[in-house]
Amino acid sequence: MEQLNALINEVNAFAWGPPMLGMLGGTGVLLTLGLVFMPWRKVGYGFRLLFEKGDPGGEGEVKPFNALMTALSATVGTGNIAGVATAIALGGPGAIFYMWLIALFGMATKYAEAVCAVTYREVDEAGKYVGGPMYYLRNGVGAFAPELGKWLGLAFAAFGAVAAFGIGNAVQVNSMGVVLKESFSVPKFLTGIIVAALVGFVIIGGIRRIAEVPEAIALIFTHAFTPAAATGGFAGAAVAAAIRFGVARGVFSNESGLGSAAIAHAAAKTNNPVRQGIVAMLGTFIDTIIVCTMTALVILTSGAWTVMGEDGGGLTGAALTSTAFHTSIAGGQYIVTIALAIFAFTTILGWSYYGERCWQYLFSENSLIVYRVLWIAAVLSFANVKVAFVWNLSDTLNGLMAVPNLVGLLLLAPMVFKVTREYFDEQKKMA
């Protein structure tokens, strides 16, 4: 296991090095500029659409609000609790700045993913709407480059089916095992058994800290551009580490660029892909700008990020967040434990759906039982694996999943810009 973890670390150094960081950030910046900062300007409009009463009209399976909630159920999870802590532990407080940055530009990426998902979705043999990157790569990119679209779609589906076991399974159940053992002394293997059984049933059948908030925010901005010095249990971190882990954990948390949420938004009942795209981008805003920031502020104001662990090193992951909440709020560790258990469980279910759609694209709906059995077996296995290995594995798989999706978004960007302009021009005429 140690040798495998070392190998994955080497792969991650490349997978999350300058090329991937540049591709993720560059795609977000290009889309944001091409949309003339629409995702930032229309956040309020997005929330109005989200809570719009009445039938939204159009074809699809679920209401736009329900599509967003489905996506959020898979997005808001361990990344918001343990992921933020891991980013700070490895990259220092400055990592949060880069989580914010990738989220702000990631809103345009998430918007484009949803627009493409609705535009190029299909109806399967059972009469259900299916879509996501594999479909907009094949049908969208394939319209002007058939072979490229075909292979990009297959690559995404293959990587997505496997990556789901990392981001949507391994990290979730592993983090649940850690916090349940620390807070309630529940053995990790028992957590694996209980969660596997529950998943199987479903898919087969503090006031004093307020004054410290400005100081915590100052830490984030200071260490975004200067190295974070070693202190207490914190080993220190270079600016490069802040960028790498801030972006990696930011993407892990909000999934912008991975294309996963587009699979849920493809089933939305809507008469215009732009409307669903605007609703979809709210997921990134809610997940990272709001939820992750609250977690980061508790960790930084509590001072837990500098605390020494039993092994002589700094705390990380769910253990760091749990300690931070315990320090700040009486019984705070239990709040974290319960919240993480609930979030992680819904994420496991949400990602099982994403993985199944990728599997269905590669094989057939009749073979989904195979994927479901593998999924449940993975829950049992990953509950007992070392934390570092699980996070490293997920980073690698996320990087592989993002590549074909980002290539597709860049190629389909002109279409996204065109339909967006047409939508808002129509809105002006109706005003």
Side-chain angles (χ1 to χ4, degrees):
M1 182 63 73
E2 292 298 328
Q3 292 178 336
L4 180 59
N5 195 34
L7 175 62
I8 291 175
N9 266 327
E10 291 181 14
V11 174
N12 276 346
F14 172 78
W16 288 99
M20 174 55 75
L21 298 180
M23 194 172 183
L24 276 166
T27 301
V29 170
L30 174 66
L31 291 171
T32 301
L33 294 175
L35 293 166
V36 197
F37 298 94
M38 182 277 293
W40 301 0
R41 294 184 289 107
K42 297 294 183 179
V43 171
Y45 177 68
F47 279 105
R48 290 198 298 275
L49 285 181
L50 184 62
F51 296 107
E52 203 172 55
K53 294 182 179 179
D55 193 321
E59 300 174 335
E61 303 292 331
V62 297
K63 291 183 178 180
F65 176 86
N66 293 341
L68 177 62
M69 291 304 106
T70 300
L72 279 175
S73 72
T75 304
V76 178
T78 302
N80 302 83
I81 296 176
V84 174
T86 307
I88 294 173
L90 298 175
I96 303 304
F97 174 83
Y98 296 102
M99 287 186 76
W100 289 342
L101 200 61
I102 200 67
L104 286 172
F105 288 106
M107 289 174 67
T109 307
K110 184 70 70 70
Y111 167 82
E113 289 171 350
V115 168
C116 291
V118 174
T119 301
Y120 297 108
R121 63 188 178 181
E122 296 180 2
V123 179
D124 66 11
E125 295 176 357
K128 296 179 180 178
Y129 280 84
V130 292
M134 51 280 199
Y135 292 94
Y136 60 70
L137 290 169
R138 183 180 68 188
N139 300 334
V141 175
F144 54 84
E147 284 301 309
L148 178 61
K150 173 186 174 182
W151 287 108
L152 285 176
L154 288 172
F156 178 87
F159 292 146
V162 177
F165 284 93
I167 185 174
N169 189 315
V171 170
Q172 310 303 327
V173 71
N174 189 266
S175 296
M176 288 171 71
V178 170
V179 295
L180 287 172
K181 182 179 180 181
E182 290 190 353
S183 297
F184 300 111
S185 300
V186 178
K188 291 182 180 179
F189 78 88
L190 183 57
T191 296
I193 292 172
I194 293 172
V195 175
L198 291 173
V199 170
F201 281 133
V202 174
I203 67 173
I204 295 181
I207 197 66
R208 65 187 177 86
R209 296 291 174 186
I210 293 176
E212 296 175 24
V213 168
E215 182 181 346
I217 293 175
L219 273 176
I220 292 171
F221 281 97
T222 299
H223 293 302
F225 305 103
T226 58
T231 173
F234 179 64
V239 173
I243 297 173
R244 174 186 167 185
F245 291 106
V247 172
R249 295 298 179 260
V251 171
F252 178 95
S253 178
N254 61 53
E255 299 173 19
S256 294
L258 299 189
S260 51
I263 298 173
H265 288 288
K269 188 175 183 181
T270 181
N271 55 11
N272 193 294
V274 171
R275 291 171 66 88
Q276 193 59 35
I278 293 171
V279 169
M281 74 186 191
L282 297 178
T284 299
F285 182 85
I286 293 169
D287 178 272
T288 304
I289 303 300
I290 297 177
V291 181
C292 286
T293 297
M294 290 191 292
T295 303
L297 290 176
V298 172
I299 292 172
L300 295 175
T301 58
S302 69
W305 64 289
T306 64
V307 171
M308 192 81 73
E310 293 181 1
D311 61 355
L315 297 173
T316 187
L320 172 53
T321 307
S322 181
T323 300
F325 272 80
H326 174 60
T327 304
S328 304
I329 308 168
Q333 73 273 30
Y334 302 116
I335 296 173
V336 171
T337 299
I338 295 169
L340 190 144
I342 294 171
F343 288 169
F345 183 70
T346 59
T347 300
I348 290 171
L349 297 180
W351 267 91
S352 70
Y353 172 73
Y354 294 163
E356 284 183 12
R357 296 287 74 78
C358 291
W359 181 274
Q360 178 184 350
Y361 182 88
L362 292 169
F363 302 105
S364 69
E365 189 170 5
N366 294 332
S367 66
L368 285 179
I369 186 63
V370 176
Y371 192 85
R372 290 168 180 170
V373 170
L374 291 173
W375 190 261
I376 295 166
V379 172
L380 283 168
S381 302
F382 285 123
N384 296 290
V385 179
K386 287 187 176 181
V387 176
F389 170 78
V390 169
W391 281 98
N392 287 335
L393 176 64
S394 292
D395 279 349
T396 300
L397 296 175
N398 287 353
L400 293 174
M401 186 178 176
V403 171
N405 180 54
L406 292 172
V407 170
L409 290 178
L410 290 171
L411 293 173
L412 294 172
M415 181 277 295
V416 174
F417 301 154
K418 179 176 179 291
V419 298
T420 303
R421 285 194 303 270
E422 290 174 348
Y423 175 81
F424 284 105
D425 285 344
E426 187 64 28
Q427 291 296 303
K428 288 179 182 178
K429 291 178 183 177
M430 294 172 60

